[in-house]
Amino acid sequence: MQRYFLEQQQHDGDQVVLTPEITHHWVVVLRAAVGDQAEFVDATAHLFHGTLQAADPQAATVTLTQVATPAVELPAAVTIACGLPKQEKAEWITQKATEMGVDQVIFYGADWSVAKWQPNKVAKKLARLTKVANGAAEQSHRLHRPTVAYAPNLKAVLATPYDVPVMAYEESAKQGEHSALKTSLQAVVPGQTVLAIFGPEGGISPTEVTLAQSAGTTLVGLGPRILRTETAPLYFLTAASVLWELQ
C-alpha cells in the first residue's frame, strides 16, 4: 500500500484535503479511484489508512482511520555525518541511509573533501536532498522522515552533543581493530542519540581525528576492508540494525 506523510497531527475519522503533490502522485500518476486506500503518517508518527472520498486531480479528499503503528524505526536516533562526496553520491547516501533507518544526515566540508558546496547553492542542494529523503521514507514505510543538513566543517558537527559519538577511521581497520564498533553499538540504550562520522573520498585528516577524539569520539573500524565513502555509512547502519533489531 502506498504511503504518504501529512504535515499536521490527525485523529481517527478526520477528513483531510491532500496536498497537490500527494494528489498528483496518487490520483494522477497511480490512478487512484474513489474507495481506494493508502497509508498516511501524521506529524506525530501515527499511522492511518486513508480512504479516497473525492478523486479530484486538484484536491483529493480522504477519510482517515487510525491503525496500529508498527515498530519500524531504529531504537536509537542515528545521525551520520559525511564529508562532502563527489558527484551525485550525496543523493545516493541520503536515499539508502533513509531506507536503513537513519534519523539525520549531515554533509560537512571535510579537510580533504574534493567537492565544495558554494554558500549560495546550499539551500537548493538541501531542498533536493530533503525531497530524496522524503521519497525514500515513503518507499521504505518509515514513520519518520530524516532531516538533511549541512555543516561547514567537522568542528560544527561536533558542536552538537550526542550520547554515543564514533568515527569510522580506515587506519583503525588497517591496524586490525575489530571490536570498538561492536562494543560501542552494544552499549547504546534505546532512546539515545548516536553520531557516526565518515570521511570523503580523500579520507579523514589527522587534524580531524584529533578534533574528534578531543570531543570524546571513539575511533572504530568497519571490518578488514577499506570501504568507499558512500558504502561506509550503510555498513554502519546495517551493523546497528543487526545488533539492535535482529535479536
Side-chain angles (χ1 to χ4, degrees), residues 10 27 38 53-54 57 84 111 115 118 121 131 140 146 152 162-164 168 176 179 185 199 227 233 236:
Q10 305 295 335
V27 175
Q53 303 295 330
L84 287 180
D111 290 348
Q118 299 304 318
K121 295 183 178 180
K131 184 176 181 179
S140 56
Y162 293 85
D163 296 316
V164 182
S179 63
L185 290 177
L227 304 178
F236 178 87

Side-chain angles (χ1 to χ4, degrees), residues 41-215:
V41 179
D42 75 353
T44 58
H46 288 102
L47 182 63
F48 297 82
H49 284 172
T51 303
L52 190 59
Q53 303 295 330
D56 185 333
Q58 303 303 318
T61 303
V62 296
T63 298
L64 299 178
T65 301
Q66 188 166 359
V67 297
T69 303
V72 298
E73 298 296 332
L74 291 173
V78 178
T79 294
I80 60 171
C82 305
L84 287 180
K86 296 186 293 184
Q87 301 171 343
E88 305 302 320
K89 293 178 182 178
E91 290 192 15
W92 197 90
I93 292 170
T94 299
Q95 181 187 69
K96 302 309 176 187
T98 297
E99 293 177 20
M100 302 188 75
V102 77
D103 184 74
Q104 183 181 38
V105 181
I106 301 173
F107 292 102
Y108 69 94
D111 290 348
W112 291 349
S113 282
V114 175
K116 306 292 181 184
W117 285 9
Q118 299 304 318
N120 63 332
K121 295 183 178 180
V122 169
K124 183 177 181 180
K125 288 182 178 292
L126 291 180
R128 170 59 187 164
L129 292 172
T130 297
K131 184 176 181 179
V132 169
N134 290 349
E138 290 178 349
Q139 184 276 326
S140 56
H141 282 209
R142 294 277 304 271
L143 296 170
H144 170 74
R145 290 173 290 181
T147 57
V148 186
Y150 169 76
N153 49 49
L154 183 57
K155 183 178 180 180
V157 174
L158 294 169
T160 299
Y162 293 85
D163 296 316
V164 182
V166 300
M167 171 180 274
Y169 187 45
E170 66 178 31
E171 294 302 323
S172 295
K174 289 179 181 178
Q175 294 164 14
E177 184 279 304
H178 55 80
S179 63
L181 174 63
K182 183 178 179 181
T183 300
S184 296
L185 290 177
Q186 287 182 325
V188 172
V189 175
Q192 286 189 315
T193 57
V194 177
L195 171 67
I197 302 167
F198 305 90
E201 291 86 354
I204 298 172
S205 74
T207 300
E208 289 170 326
V209 172
T210 300
L211 177 65
Q213 288 182 302
S214 67

Side-chain angles (χ1 to χ4, degrees), residues 209-233:
V209 172
T210 300
L211 177 65
Q213 288 182 302
S214 67
T217 303
T218 300
L219 302 183
V220 300
L222 303 181
R225 294 161 294 280
I226 304 303
L227 304 178
R228 292 179 183 270
T229 187
E230 68 269 30
T231 309

